[in-house]
Amino acid sequence: MLKVLKEIQKEHTKILKEMKEKVQKQLKPVLQDFMNSHSNIKAIGWTQYTPYFNDGDECIFSVGDLFATVSEDYDDDSFYGEGWVELYGDPEEGFTKQDWKDLKELNDTLHGLEDFLKMVFGDHVKVLVTQKGVEVEEYEHD
């Protein structure tokens, strides 16, 4: 009986490792392809973390909403800083309707990949994607 459980655990670990490697291999190139096909967009980014406190409820890892900028002079310290916009309502100035639609679709897709994003980028991080690549740095939050 225990031998069966150990085999299940071993198989589970193997499958998770394979999925992590597959996602790591594919995710960054997909994000780069998105940026390359939307040359008007200079950067996109999001935060992802497990909150330290949730008013008595369970603290669960989540991926924050996507931010984007068409400005060359964006604040790289905070997505709430200069140049960044959140994806609400109609397209913000400088974004095409197609860019806006694609960004919203990417945002929805990222939210469906939370477990994989945590595997690839980690917890308590800010992810910044530009034409040059993907940067991940530690993110301080409440």
Side-chain angles (χ1 to χ4, degrees), residues 26 48 73 85:
Q26 295 177 353
Q48 57 183 56
D73 300 319
V85 297

Side-chain angles (χ1 to χ4, degrees), residues 89-102:
D90 294 329
E92 293 279 338
E93 184 178 337
F95 291 89
T96 67
K97 286 183 181 180
Q98 188 62 50
D99 285 346
W100 201 251
K101 179 181 180 239
D102 292 347

Side-chain angles (χ1 to χ4, degrees), residues 11-12 18-19 32 66 82 99 124:
E11 183 69 17
H12 178 257
E18 289 171 357
M19 280 305 299
Q32 282 303 139
L66 191 65
E82 186 72 30
D99 285 346
H124 310 284

Side-chain angles (χ1 to χ4, degrees), residues 97-115:
K97 286 183 181 180
Q98 188 62 50
D99 285 346
W100 201 251
K101 179 181 180 239
D102 292 347
L103 284 165
K104 285 184 169 188
E105 183 178 349
L106 176 61
N107 185 58
D108 292 344
T109 302
L110 291 174
H111 282 284
L113 296 172
E114 287 182 336
D115 291 341

Side-chain angles (χ1 to χ4, degrees), residues 55-73:
D55 201 24
D57 291 334
E58 181 180 4
C59 295
I60 300 172
F61 175 84
S62 66
V63 172
D65 285 334
L66 191 65
F67 288 80
T69 183
V70 292
S71 172
E72 294 281 354
D73 300 319

